[in-house]
Amino acid sequence: MLRNYLKTALRNLWKHKLFSFINVFGLASGMLVCLLAMIDIKGAFDYDSFHPHTDRTYRILTDVTDKANDERAFATTPLPLADDLSRNYPFVEATTRVIRQYGEATANRKQLQVIASAVDPGFFTVFGFRLAAGQAATAPGTVVLTRQTAERFFGTANPVGKVLEHTGLGPLTITGVFAKPPTKTHLNFDMVVSMATLSTPDWQRKRADWTQYSQGYTYVLLKPNTPTETLEASLPALASRVTTGIRFATEKGYTFRTQALARISPSREDLMYATYEPTAGKLEAELGVGLLTLLLAAFNYINLTLARSLSRAREVGIRKVAGAMRWQLMGQFMAESVILSVLGLGLAYGMLQLVKPMPFVQQWLIGDSQWETNSTLWTVFVVFSVVTGLLAGLLPARVLSGFQPAQVLRSQTGLKAFRGVTLRKSLIVAQFSISLLAMIALLAMARQQQFMATADYGFQREGLLTIPLNGMPPARLSAQISQLAGVDRVAATVALFGDHGGNWQKVYRQKAKSDSSITDVFAADANLIPTAGLTLVAGQNMPQSASDTASNQVLINEEAVRTFKLGEPKAAVGQTLWLSDSTEVQIAGVVKDFQFTTMVWKIRPLILRYQPGDFRYLTVKVAGGNPESVKADIARIWKRLNPYEPFAGQWYDDFLYNRHSHTDDLSFMGLLLGLAMSIACLGLLGMVTYTTALRTKEVGVRKVMGASVGQVVWLLSWDFLRLLLIAGTIAMPLGYLASSFFLMTFAYHITVGVGLLGLCFGTMLLLGGLTISWRTYRTALTNPVNSLRNE
């Protein structure tokens, strides 16, 4: 019987090729997104699976209660906790702390941003990071690099034994190189430094301070056969013991709890100072998008199958008269649906191979996941496709198999739904509503990113060339560039405007008071003001001198004047502020507000200070002429001074555009939108094709009676165009609300107006109208003689 089902199903699918193609393509499009989501979900659960003792390794979390009785969970703990657990609890086999350190490292004439993790010797026991070369870093001033970091600094050369200079940790001797881990890990780092390296008095104090619970992460390896409850039960008493007598500033206290290493990824709760594991919300959103796209395809299958209900109803009637049972008819229809779904899975795999190289897919979805050779995952794929086919075919199978032979063999009763609106039309409206909603949201995102890439940030961006120094002394390079014809000025800065800013820190109005505000202290020289076209509203520029005293003369922006309540800009000149390191600085001038970070944040307080040790970029102002020629001359100077490092200069316009446009992300989201719109249009095409086929004789009669081609096209099209109008009425308000909520996350953003909504609605009408008119026009051109010949 099953063989007969399959044979009959294949014949039916081959007989109706257009409908079969529409269904296979639609199901494949939905499955493509679902496959990407399932691969990413599998990768999320594979995090840290390569460690040797995942069943008895735990991270300690800190639950902090403030004086308003609000609780917050921290992924971090006080630094003394690891030593206390090792010393006082015999069921603990090993502990380790991980302290993240951000900064720059210099080696082999290269200066790069790196993420360092300071760890205890137990790190190499608790975790399973294997060494490809050398040995673990346990002595003071030693470091182990990841393979990628070693290649960034040294290429293919062996780095073991060489010295790397870190801005915050000093000189570090490389003792080893990690092998690439088999799976991803929540412990994302570029290098691992021995904890003994942190030996300054400040670090010694932090390592004994129980009040600071945000300094580092604590991991515990229990002895074999030790139940989790043993560790969990000991933590409340431990927290009570170590906090007795402590007077917190803003907290009532804290407690500890465990988190199994295998449960860290995906993250199921919002933790302060979380690590790099994916969140459950991200995975749920991905799967939701995939299932929504698949739902559109399932709508198509239901829609087209019910559209063919008249012809299939006669088939059902004849089969029932011949003695077929209802469950046998349902089996036949379900077999067709499953075959379509399996064919869709094959096409989805082919489409996956095409989108796999896309940067967005590699970075955010499948990445390094080993999925193509995973038999379990392929079993899930196949089962998923079969279940999809069964669910998609269930409703049509029940409806079609329920027809009564006497009714369907003597009449042509259509399938009715609630209040005279057919189910088929409702599904078309749902498809185009979802597609239009996605189109509005995507266009709003694209326009916001275009706005951020091209907006007026308040500083000059044309004719500016940015050069990352990568460890080269700025004075030497600046002196030679300044002598070139076509170069107007050269400024040195710590970072580039329009990015993340410089160095956020607390700045105080008075040294002895708590009137602080988070302020960006941005290292720059006096050339920055004329180079970037900034405006001084009061006072004067910072000194040109390279002496140490020059760093005490600073510029602030107007927002800093308001934040520190310094009165008018003129009154602020000459007043003083205190930096977080207790340095007193004097205000030399006030700069007009400009956007020195991204458009996500409002303009914040800013201090421009001369700090030559922090300079990381040169900004060159090119005066007219041939800017590309000047850039080539600068590249030659760079090559002469630093032959081992490629020249990475780019125009400021290009930097801001690349920083904010996110074309890779938009390309992938555009692909999803294209799939959704294609599914909707193909479903509409199938419906129009079938409906016009039923009305061929009507068209012939009308043409014989004198109807024009245009009148026939309008007659056949109006019912479907009305569905598109209904979809627009539903989707445009929802799209406006969704886009507005998204744009509210930006301090400066575009507005969703009539133009944007009208463009999306017009595009949907154009695509839907072309789909409808193409088929109805062909039907309207049919010769009446051919359609009426058999009457």
Side-chain angles (χ1 to χ4, degrees):
M1 181 180 292
L2 181 60
R3 180 180 178 184
N4 187 51
Y5 282 167
L6 296 176
K7 185 183 296 185
T8 306
L10 290 172
R11 287 174 179 171
N12 273 314
L13 297 177
W14 183 255
K15 180 180 178 181
H16 304 283
K17 299 181 185 66
L18 175 62
F19 297 112
S20 299
F21 168 76
I22 292 173
N23 284 323
V24 170
F25 178 80
L27 290 171
S29 301
M31 285 184 185
L32 169 64
V33 186
C34 289
L35 294 185
L36 288 171
M38 285 190 283
I39 293 171
D40 193 31
I41 291 171
K42 174 191 176 296
F45 282 96
D46 284 344
Y47 266 56
D48 297 297
S49 59
F50 61 92
H51 298 305
H53 310 294
T54 54
D55 58 327
R56 49 193 181 98
T57 303
Y58 299 87
R59 179 170 70 177
I60 308 299
L61 306 181
T62 307
D63 292 322
V64 180
T65 305
D66 62 20
K67 293 187 177 178
N69 288 324
D70 293 327
E71 290 189 0
R72 290 180 299 171
F74 285 72
T76 52
T77 58
L79 294 184
L81 178 61
D83 290 336
D84 193 289
L85 287 169
S86 296
R87 185 172 54 250
N88 298 321
Y89 297 88
F91 52 80
V92 173
E93 180 176 320
T95 62
T96 185
R97 294 165 293 189
V98 177
I99 303 176
R100 284 191 293 201
Q101 294 282 297
Y102 299 94
E104 292 181 333
T106 305
N108 197 28
R109 297 179 293 275
K110 296 180 181 179
Q111 187 175 43
L112 303 172
Q113 290 282 344
V114 293
I115 302 175
S117 289
V119 302
D120 294 304
F123 177 87
F124 299 94
T125 302
V126 174
F127 298 111
F129 294 101
R130 294 186 301 105
L131 291 171
Q135 58 185 9
T138 55
T142 58
V143 62
V144 177
L145 307 181
T146 64
R147 189 181 69 177
Q148 295 86 344
T149 305
E151 291 175 352
R152 289 169 64 196
F153 280 109
F154 302 99
T156 58
N158 183 11
V160 176
K162 297 181 180 179
V163 176
L164 179 145
E165 186 77 28
H166 190 274
T167 52
L169 302 172
L172 303 170
T173 301
I174 302 170
T175 62
V177 177
F178 285 116
K180 183 179 179 180
T183 64
K184 293 183 179 179
T185 174
H186 75 287
L187 292 169
N188 186 31
F189 50 79
D190 296 316
M191 59 181 64
V192 165
V193 183
S194 168
M195 184 70 71
T197 306
L198 306 180
S199 58
T200 62
D202 183 51
W203 277 112
Q204 294 292 342
R205 178 185 58 79
K206 290 179 180 178
R207 290 166 70 170
D209 189 355
W210 286 99
T211 64
Q212 297 296 321
Y213 45 79
S214 61
Q215 296 296 321
Y217 307 87
T218 300
Y219 297 85
V220 178
L221 175 63
L222 299 181
K223 290 182 179 180
N225 302 320
T226 301
T228 309
E229 292 75 12
T230 303
L231 174 62
E232 190 75 46
S234 65
L235 293 178
L238 189 158
S240 177
R241 171 169 56 83
V242 300
T243 56
T244 300
I246 295 179
R247 298 183 63 183
F248 293 99
T250 59
E251 303 89 355
K252 277 189 174 181
Y254 57 73
T255 59
F256 300 125
R257 60 186 166 96
T258 61
Q259 182 182 36
L261 183 61
R263 298 276 296 174
I264 291 179
S265 178
S267 175
R268 298 165 179 84
E269 62 178 312
D270 187 17
L271 296 175
M272 302 294 293
Y273 298 99
T275 40
Y276 295 91
E277 65 275 3
T279 63
K282 169 182 177 287
L283 302 179
E284 291 168 358
E286 291 174 3
L287 189 58
V289 171
L291 292 177
L292 182 61
T293 310
L294 190 60
L295 184 62
L296 293 179
F299 281 176
N300 269 2
Y301 180 81
I302 297 171
N303 215 352
L304 294 177
T305 303
L306 295 181
R308 292 166 51 207
S309 60
L310 295 180
S311 60
R312 300 307 296 269
R314 292 190 181 91
E315 174 189 343
V316 170
I318 293 173
R319 285 176 177 269
K320 281 193 171 184
V321 168
M325 304 296 291
R326 183 174 184 179
W327 67 267
Q328 293 175 314
L329 295 173
M330 287 189 64
Q332 178 63 61
F333 294 127
M334 299 284 275
E336 293 181 19
S337 177
V338 170
I339 290 175
L340 283 172
S341 185
V342 173
L343 292 175
L345 175 63
L347 181 57
Y349 175 74
M351 296 167 67
L352 181 57
Q353 297 301 315
L354 295 177
V355 304
K356 185 168 65 172
M358 295 181 67
F360 181 91
V361 175
Q362 286 295 318
Q363 181 178 0
W364 298 108
L365 297 174
I366 61 178
D368 296 327
S369 299
Q370 304 297 322
W371 60 274
E372 293 192 83
T373 57
N374 189 297
S375 58
T376 303
L377 191 60
W378 273 107
T379 301
V380 173
F381 289 166
V382 173
V383 171
F384 176 76
S385 68
V386 172
V387 172
T388 299
L390 293 175
L391 292 178
L394 181 61
L395 176 60
R398 285 183 58 85
V399 172
L400 295 177
S401 64
F403 289 148
Q404 297 300 316
Q407 182 183 16
V408 300
L409 292 178
R410 73 167 180 259
S411 65
Q412 294 189 350
T413 304
L415 179 65
K416 298 295 182 180
F418 44 88
R419 296 186 181 179
V421 180
T422 66
L423 177 61
R424 302 190 303 274
K425 292 180 180 179
S426 302
L427 296 181
I428 287 178
V429 170
Q431 284 181 317
F432 277 94
S433 297
I434 294 172
S435 299
L436 180 57
L437 174 62
M439 187 187 303
I440 293 171
L442 180 61
L443 184 58
M445 293 172 61
R447 286 196 171 180
Q448 174 63 21
Q449 292 178 359
Q450 182 70 14
F451 165 72
M452 295 172 65
T454 59
D456 181 9
Y457 280 71
F459 59 87
Q460 180 179 333
R461 51 189 288 176
E462 296 83 12
L464 294 185
L465 181 68
T466 66
I467 306 172
L469 292 170
N470 292 331
M472 180 180 290
R476 184 182 180 191
L477 180 61
S478 176
Q480 296 204 26
I481 292 177
S482 300
Q483 298 175 8
L484 291 175
V487 172
D488 190 0
R489 292 181 182 274
V490 181
T493 59
V494 67
L496 298 179
F497 293 145
D499 198 4
H500 293 296
N503 174 29
W504 295 100
Q505 60 177 271
K506 283 188 176 181
V507 175
Y508 300 85
R509 178 68 183 91
Q510 300 290 337
K511 182 178 181 181
K513 295 183 179 180
S514 59
D515 51 353
S516 65
S517 178
I518 298 297
T519 304
D520 191 318
V521 180
F522 196 95
D525 63 15
N527 287 330
L528 178 64
I529 300 298
T531 300
L534 302 178
T535 303
L536 279 171
V537 296
Q540 59 186 4
N541 197 358
M542 68 179 76
Q544 289 279 357
S545 172
S547 64
D548 294 338
T549 57
S551 64
N552 293 328
Q553 296 290 313
V554 302
L555 301 177
I556 64 173
N557 63 351
E558 294 173 302
E559 180 61 28
V561 174
R562 290 187 289 269
T563 300
F564 292 107
K565 300 178 181 179
L566 300 175
E568 295 296 321
K570 290 184 179 179
V573 176
Q575 298 194 52
T576 60
L577 297 172
W578 293 85
L579 306 183
S580 59
D581 60 356
S582 299
T583 301
E584 184 181 21
V585 294
Q586 186 178 42
I587 301 170
V590 178
V591 179
K592 184 178 180 180
D593 280 340
F594 65 97
Q595 188 65 34
F596 58 92
T597 58
T598 71
M599 295 289 182
V600 176
W601 302 318
K602 290 184 177 181
I603 295 176
R604 300 182 179 185
L606 170 69
I607 293 177
L608 296 174
R609 185 186 182 201
Y610 181 76
Q611 293 175 286
D614 291 342
F615 291 159
R616 299 292 179 266
Y617 290 87
L618 288 185
T619 301
V620 182
K621 185 175 183 180
V622 179
N626 187 350
E628 291 299 330
S629 176
V630 176
K631 182 179 178 181
D633 292 338
I634 295 174
R636 281 191 288 271
I637 293 175
W638 175 276
K639 196 66 178 177
R640 186 171 66 249
L641 295 178
N642 194 355
Y644 301 99
E645 185 73 17
F647 178 69
Q650 63 175 330
W651 299 105
Y652 223 120
D653 265 335
D654 295 337
F655 161 73
L656 290 175
Y657 187 84
N658 295 332
R659 169 67 179 80
H660 298 292
S661 59
H662 301 289
T663 53
D664 292 335
D665 298 358
L666 289 178
S667 297
F668 181 74
M669 288 184 283
L671 172 65
L672 296 183
L673 175 61
L675 291 176
M677 187 58 71
S678 298
I679 293 171
C681 288
L682 286 174
L684 181 61
L685 175 62
M687 282 295 300
V688 175
T689 299
Y690 186 77
T691 303
T692 52
L694 292 180
R695 302 180 69 177
T696 301
K697 290 183 174 61
E698 176 191 346
V699 170
V701 172
R702 290 183 179 275
K703 292 187 71 175
V704 169
M705 299 298 294
S708 65
V709 172
Q711 290 173 322
V712 172
V713 170
W714 177 254
L715 174 70
L716 298 175
S717 303
W718 169 241
D719 284 344
F720 295 104
L721 289 175
R722 185 168 52 189
L723 300 180
L724 299 184
L725 295 176
I726 295 173
T729 303
I730 295 173
M732 283 198 291
L734 296 177
Y736 174 81
L737 292 175
S739 301
S740 298
F741 282 127
F742 165 73
L743 294 173
M744 285 172 59
T745 60
F746 297 88
Y748 307 97
H749 55 77
I750 63 169
T751 57
V752 181
V754 176
L756 187 148
L757 296 175
L759 177 61
C760 294
F761 183 57
T763 302
M764 185 198 71
L765 281 181
L766 177 62
L767 294 175
L770 289 175
T771 302
I772 296 169
S773 60
W774 174 74
R775 195 64 199 177
T776 56
Y777 182 72
R778 290 185 60 186
T779 303
L781 293 177
T782 304
N783 191 337
V785 175
N786 297 328
S787 60
L788 300 177
R789 179 177 297 165
N790 60 348
E791 294 295 330

